[in-house]
mmCIF file with all atom_site columns, all heavy atoms in Angstrom:
data_model
loop_
_atom_site.group_PDB
_atom_site.id
_atom_site.type_symbol
_atom_site.label_atom_id
_atom_site.label_alt_id
_atom_site.label_comp_id
_atom_site.label_asym_id
_atom_site.label_entity_id
_atom_site.label_seq_id
_atom_site.pdbx_PDB_ins_code
_atom_site.Cartn_x
_atom_site.Cartn_y
_atom_site.Cartn_z
_atom_site.occupancy
_atom_site.B_iso_or_equiv
_atom_site.pdbx_formal_charge
_atom_site.auth_seq_id
_atom_site.auth_comp_id
_atom_site.auth_asym_id
_atom_site.auth_atom_id
_atom_site.pdbx_PDB_model_num
ATOM 1   N N   . GLY B 1 65 ? -37.406 -32.008 -17.094 1.00 0.00 ? 65 GLY B N   1
ATOM 2   C CA  . GLY B 1 65 ? -36.060 -32.556 -17.273 1.00 0.00 ? 65 GLY B CA  1
ATOM 3   C C   . GLY B 1 65 ? -35.192 -32.394 -16.042 1.00 0.00 ? 65 GLY B C   1
ATOM 4   O O   . GLY B 1 65 ? -35.654 -31.962 -14.977 1.00 0.00 ? 65 GLY B O   1
ATOM 5   N N   . PHE B 1 66 ? -33.941 -32.747 -16.187 1.00 0.00 ? 66 PHE B N   1
ATOM 6   C CA  . PHE B 1 66 ? -33.006 -32.618 -15.071 1.00 0.00 ? 66 PHE B CA  1
ATOM 7   C C   . PHE B 1 66 ? -31.652 -32.095 -15.572 1.00 0.00 ? 66 PHE B C   1
ATOM 8   O O   . PHE B 1 66 ? -31.320 -32.201 -16.760 1.00 0.00 ? 66 PHE B O   1
ATOM 9   C CB  . PHE B 1 66 ? -32.800 -33.981 -14.382 1.00 0.00 ? 66 PHE B CB  1
ATOM 10  C CG  . PHE B 1 66 ? -31.890 -34.894 -15.148 1.00 0.00 ? 66 PHE B CG  1
ATOM 11  C CD1 . PHE B 1 66 ? -30.540 -35.007 -14.808 1.00 0.00 ? 66 PHE B CD1 1
ATOM 12  C CD2 . PHE B 1 66 ? -32.366 -35.599 -16.235 1.00 0.00 ? 66 PHE B CD2 1
ATOM 13  C CE1 . PHE B 1 66 ? -29.692 -35.830 -15.537 1.00 0.00 ? 66 PHE B CE1 1
ATOM 14  C CE2 . PHE B 1 66 ? -31.527 -36.432 -16.967 1.00 0.00 ? 66 PHE B CE2 1
ATOM 15  C CZ  . PHE B 1 66 ? -30.197 -36.547 -16.621 1.00 0.00 ? 66 PHE B CZ  1
ATOM 16  N N   . ILE B 1 67 ? -30.923 -31.573 -14.644 1.00 0.00 ? 67 ILE B N   1
ATOM 17  C CA  . ILE B 1 67 ? -29.537 -31.161 -14.907 1.00 0.00 ? 67 ILE B CA  1
ATOM 18  C C   . ILE B 1 67 ? -28.667 -31.782 -13.831 1.00 0.00 ? 67 ILE B C   1
ATOM 19  O O   . ILE B 1 67 ? -28.999 -31.726 -12.637 1.00 0.00 ? 67 ILE B O   1
ATOM 20  C CB  . ILE B 1 67 ? -29.383 -29.624 -14.885 1.00 0.00 ? 67 ILE B CB  1
ATOM 21  C CG1 . ILE B 1 67 ? -30.089 -28.999 -16.085 1.00 0.00 ? 67 ILE B CG1 1
ATOM 22  C CG2 . ILE B 1 67 ? -27.904 -29.232 -14.878 1.00 0.00 ? 67 ILE B CG2 1
ATOM 23  C CD1 . ILE B 1 67 ? -29.942 -27.494 -16.158 1.00 0.00 ? 67 ILE B CD1 1
ATOM 24  N N   . ARG B 1 68 ? -27.592 -32.377 -14.267 1.00 0.00 ? 68 ARG B N   1
ATOM 25  C CA  . ARG B 1 68 ? -26.645 -32.972 -13.324 1.00 0.00 ? 68 ARG B CA  1
ATOM 26  C C   . ARG B 1 68 ? -25.390 -32.102 -13.315 1.00 0.00 ? 68 ARG B C   1
ATOM 27  O O   . ARG B 1 68 ? -24.847 -31.765 -14.378 1.00 0.00 ? 68 ARG B O   1
ATOM 28  C CB  . ARG B 1 68 ? -26.316 -34.386 -13.812 1.00 0.00 ? 68 ARG B CB  1
ATOM 29  C CG  . ARG B 1 68 ? -25.325 -35.115 -12.963 1.00 0.00 ? 68 ARG B CG  1
ATOM 30  C CD  . ARG B 1 68 ? -25.992 -35.694 -11.744 1.00 0.00 ? 68 ARG B CD  1
ATOM 31  N NE  . ARG B 1 68 ? -25.028 -36.299 -10.847 1.00 0.00 ? 68 ARG B NE  1
ATOM 32  C CZ  . ARG B 1 68 ? -25.243 -36.531 -9.573  1.00 0.00 ? 68 ARG B CZ  1
ATOM 33  N NH1 . ARG B 1 68 ? -26.394 -36.192 -9.032  1.00 0.00 ? 68 ARG B NH1 1
ATOM 34  N NH2 . ARG B 1 68 ? -24.320 -37.090 -8.829  1.00 0.00 ? 68 ARG B NH2 1
ATOM 35  N N   . VAL B 1 69 ? -24.954 -31.769 -12.120 1.00 0.00 ? 69 VAL B N   1
ATOM 36  C CA  . VAL B 1 69 ? -23.819 -30.858 -11.965 1.00 0.00 ? 69 VAL B CA  1
ATOM 37  C C   . VAL B 1 69 ? -22.708 -31.556 -11.199 1.00 0.00 ? 69 VAL B C   1
ATOM 38  O O   . VAL B 1 69 ? -22.971 -32.241 -10.208 1.00 0.00 ? 69 VAL B O   1
ATOM 39  C CB  . VAL B 1 69 ? -24.280 -29.601 -11.185 1.00 0.00 ? 69 VAL B CB  1
ATOM 40  C CG1 . VAL B 1 69 ? -23.097 -28.766 -10.748 1.00 0.00 ? 69 VAL B CG1 1
ATOM 41  C CG2 . VAL B 1 69 ? -25.241 -28.775 -12.025 1.00 0.00 ? 69 VAL B CG2 1
ATOM 42  N N   . GLN B 1 70 ? -21.511 -31.419 -11.692 1.00 0.00 ? 70 GLN B N   1
ATOM 43  C CA  . GLN B 1 70 ? -20.368 -32.031 -10.996 1.00 0.00 ? 70 GLN B CA  1
ATOM 44  C C   . GLN B 1 70 ? -19.177 -31.086 -11.086 1.00 0.00 ? 70 GLN B C   1
ATOM 45  O O   . GLN B 1 70 ? -18.805 -30.644 -12.179 1.00 0.00 ? 70 GLN B O   1
ATOM 46  C CB  . GLN B 1 70 ? -20.041 -33.372 -11.669 1.00 0.00 ? 70 GLN B CB  1
ATOM 47  C CG  . GLN B 1 70 ? -18.811 -34.078 -11.133 1.00 0.00 ? 70 GLN B CG  1
ATOM 48  C CD  . GLN B 1 70 ? -19.120 -34.850 -9.861  1.00 0.00 ? 70 GLN B CD  1
ATOM 49  O OE1 . GLN B 1 70 ? -20.156 -35.508 -9.762  1.00 0.00 ? 70 GLN B OE1 1
ATOM 50  N NE2 . GLN B 1 70 ? -18.251 -34.747 -8.879  1.00 0.00 ? 70 GLN B NE2 1
ATOM 51  N N   . ASP B 1 71 ? -18.581 -30.789 -9.928  1.00 0.00 ? 71 ASP B N   1
ATOM 52  C CA  . ASP B 1 71 ? -17.376 -29.952 -9.885  1.00 0.00 ? 71 ASP B CA  1
ATOM 53  C C   . ASP B 1 71 ? -17.508 -28.659 -10.692 1.00 0.00 ? 71 ASP B C   1
ATOM 54  O O   . ASP B 1 71 ? -16.608 -28.281 -11.441 1.00 0.00 ? 71 ASP B O   1
ATOM 55  C CB  . ASP B 1 71 ? -16.155 -30.747 -10.360 1.00 0.00 ? 71 ASP B CB  1
ATOM 56  C CG  . ASP B 1 71 ? -15.821 -31.868 -9.391  1.00 0.00 ? 71 ASP B CG  1
ATOM 57  O OD1 . ASP B 1 71 ? -16.082 -31.687 -8.182  1.00 0.00 ? 71 ASP B OD1 1
ATOM 58  O OD2 . ASP B 1 71 ? -15.343 -32.917 -9.837  1.00 0.00 ? 71 ASP B OD2 1
ATOM 59  N N   . GLY B 1 72 ? -18.652 -28.042 -10.533 1.00 0.00 ? 72 GLY B N   1
ATOM 60  C CA  . GLY B 1 72 ? -18.806 -26.716 -11.121 1.00 0.00 ? 72 GLY B CA  1
ATOM 61  C C   . GLY B 1 72 ? -19.261 -26.690 -12.567 1.00 0.00 ? 72 GLY B C   1
ATOM 62  O O   . GLY B 1 72 ? -19.455 -25.613 -13.125 1.00 0.00 ? 72 GLY B O   1
ATOM 63  N N   . LYS B 1 73 ? -19.405 -27.861 -13.177 1.00 0.00 ? 73 LYS B N   1
ATOM 64  C CA  . LYS B 1 73 ? -19.814 -27.894 -14.585 1.00 0.00 ? 73 LYS B CA  1
ATOM 65  C C   . LYS B 1 73 ? -21.098 -28.707 -14.738 1.00 0.00 ? 73 LYS B C   1
ATOM 66  O O   . LYS B 1 73 ? -21.403 -29.564 -13.914 1.00 0.00 ? 73 LYS B O   1
ATOM 67  C CB  . LYS B 1 73 ? -18.713 -28.550 -15.443 1.00 0.00 ? 73 LYS B CB  1
ATOM 68  C CG  . LYS B 1 73 ? -17.382 -27.815 -15.430 1.00 0.00 ? 73 LYS B CG  1
ATOM 69  C CD  . LYS B 1 73 ? -17.412 -26.612 -16.346 1.00 0.00 ? 73 LYS B CD  1
ATOM 70  C CE  . LYS B 1 73 ? -16.054 -25.907 -16.343 1.00 0.00 ? 73 LYS B CE  1
ATOM 71  N NZ  . LYS B 1 73 ? -16.105 -24.649 -17.088 1.00 0.00 ? 73 LYS B NZ  1
ATOM 72  N N   . ILE B 1 74 ? -21.800 -28.446 -15.834 1.00 0.00 ? 74 ILE B N   1
ATOM 73  C CA  . ILE B 1 74 ? -22.949 -29.268 -16.177 1.00 0.00 ? 74 ILE B CA  1
ATOM 74  C C   . ILE B 1 74 ? -22.403 -30.537 -16.834 1.00 0.00 ? 74 ILE B C   1
ATOM 75  O O   . ILE B 1 74 ? -21.675 -30.452 -17.833 1.00 0.00 ? 74 ILE B O   1
ATOM 76  C CB  . ILE B 1 74 ? -23.883 -28.518 -17.148 1.00 0.00 ? 74 ILE B CB  1
ATOM 77  C CG1 . ILE B 1 74 ? -24.442 -27.266 -16.465 1.00 0.00 ? 74 ILE B CG1 1
ATOM 78  C CG2 . ILE B 1 74 ? -25.001 -29.437 -17.628 1.00 0.00 ? 74 ILE B CG2 1
ATOM 79  C CD1 . ILE B 1 74 ? -25.200 -26.335 -17.388 1.00 0.00 ? 74 ILE B CD1 1
ATOM 80  N N   . VAL B 1 75 ? -22.736 -31.710 -16.245 1.00 0.00 ? 75 VAL B N   1
ATOM 81  C CA  . VAL B 1 75 ? -22.187 -32.951 -16.803 1.00 0.00 ? 75 VAL B CA  1
ATOM 82  C C   . VAL B 1 75 ? -23.254 -33.789 -17.496 1.00 0.00 ? 75 VAL B C   1
ATOM 83  O O   . VAL B 1 75 ? -22.931 -34.713 -18.241 1.00 0.00 ? 75 VAL B O   1
ATOM 84  C CB  . VAL B 1 75 ? -21.459 -33.796 -15.739 1.00 0.00 ? 75 VAL B CB  1
ATOM 85  C CG1 . VAL B 1 75 ? -20.199 -33.087 -15.268 1.00 0.00 ? 75 VAL B CG1 1
ATOM 86  C CG2 . VAL B 1 75 ? -22.370 -34.112 -14.562 1.00 0.00 ? 75 VAL B CG2 1
ATOM 87  N N   . ALA B 1 76 ? -24.509 -33.518 -17.211 1.00 0.00 ? 76 ALA B N   1
ATOM 88  C CA  . ALA B 1 76 ? -25.571 -34.247 -17.900 1.00 0.00 ? 76 ALA B CA  1
ATOM 89  C C   . ALA B 1 76 ? -26.850 -33.436 -17.817 1.00 0.00 ? 76 ALA B C   1
ATOM 90  O O   . ALA B 1 76 ? -27.046 -32.686 -16.860 1.00 0.00 ? 76 ALA B O   1
ATOM 91  C CB  . ALA B 1 76 ? -25.788 -35.617 -17.263 1.00 0.00 ? 76 ALA B CB  1
ATOM 92  N N   . MET B 1 77 ? -27.690 -33.583 -18.832 1.00 0.00 ? 77 MET B N   1
ATOM 93  C CA  . MET B 1 77 ? -29.001 -32.949 -18.778 1.00 0.00 ? 77 MET B CA  1
ATOM 94  C C   . MET B 1 77 ? -29.902 -33.615 -19.802 1.00 0.00 ? 77 MET B C   1
ATOM 95  O O   . MET B 1 77 ? -29.432 -34.200 -20.772 1.00 0.00 ? 77 MET B O   1
ATOM 96  C CB  . MET B 1 77 ? -28.901 -31.446 -19.021 1.00 0.00 ? 77 MET B CB  1
ATOM 97  C CG  . MET B 1 77 ? -28.256 -31.046 -20.340 1.00 0.00 ? 77 MET B CG  1
ATOM 98  S SD  . MET B 1 77 ? -27.947 -29.264 -20.440 1.00 0.00 ? 77 MET B SD  1
ATOM 99  C CE  . MET B 1 77 ? -29.611 -28.657 -20.673 1.00 0.00 ? 77 MET B CE  1
ATOM 100 N N   . GLY B 1 78 ? -31.183 -33.531 -19.552 1.00 0.00 ? 78 GLY B N   1
ATOM 101 C CA  . GLY B 1 78 ? -32.109 -34.141 -20.483 1.00 0.00 ? 78 GLY B CA  1
ATOM 102 C C   . GLY B 1 78 ? -33.484 -34.270 -19.863 1.00 0.00 ? 78 GLY B C   1
ATOM 103 O O   . GLY B 1 78 ? -33.698 -33.828 -18.739 1.00 0.00 ? 78 GLY B O   1
ATOM 104 N N   . PRO B 1 79 ? -34.409 -34.850 -20.590 1.00 0.00 ? 79 PRO B N   1
ATOM 105 C CA  . PRO B 1 79 ? -35.746 -35.038 -20.028 1.00 0.00 ? 79 PRO B CA  1
ATOM 106 C C   . PRO B 1 79 ? -35.767 -36.185 -19.027 1.00 0.00 ? 79 PRO B C   1
ATOM 107 O O   . PRO B 1 79 ? -34.849 -37.015 -19.003 1.00 0.00 ? 79 PRO B O   1
ATOM 108 C CB  . PRO B 1 79 ? -36.604 -35.365 -21.259 1.00 0.00 ? 79 PRO B CB  1
ATOM 109 C CG  . PRO B 1 79 ? -35.652 -35.905 -22.269 1.00 0.00 ? 79 PRO B CG  1
ATOM 110 C CD  . PRO B 1 79 ? -34.294 -35.298 -21.988 1.00 0.00 ? 79 PRO B CD  1
ATOM 111 N N   . GLY B 1 80 ? -36.800 -36.241 -18.248 1.00 0.00 ? 80 GLY B N   1
ATOM 112 C CA  . GLY B 1 80 ? -36.924 -37.312 -17.270 1.00 0.00 ? 80 GLY B CA  1
ATOM 113 C C   . GLY B 1 80 ? -35.973 -37.088 -16.119 1.00 0.00 ? 80 GLY B C   1
ATOM 114 O O   . GLY B 1 80 ? -35.891 -35.988 -15.578 1.00 0.00 ? 80 GLY B O   1
#
Side-chain angles (χ1 to χ4, degrees):
Chain B
F66 77 98
I67 291 182
R68 179 80 185 160
V69 168
Q70 175 82 42
D71 293 329
K73 298 281 181 187
I74 297 171
V75 293
M77 57 189 287

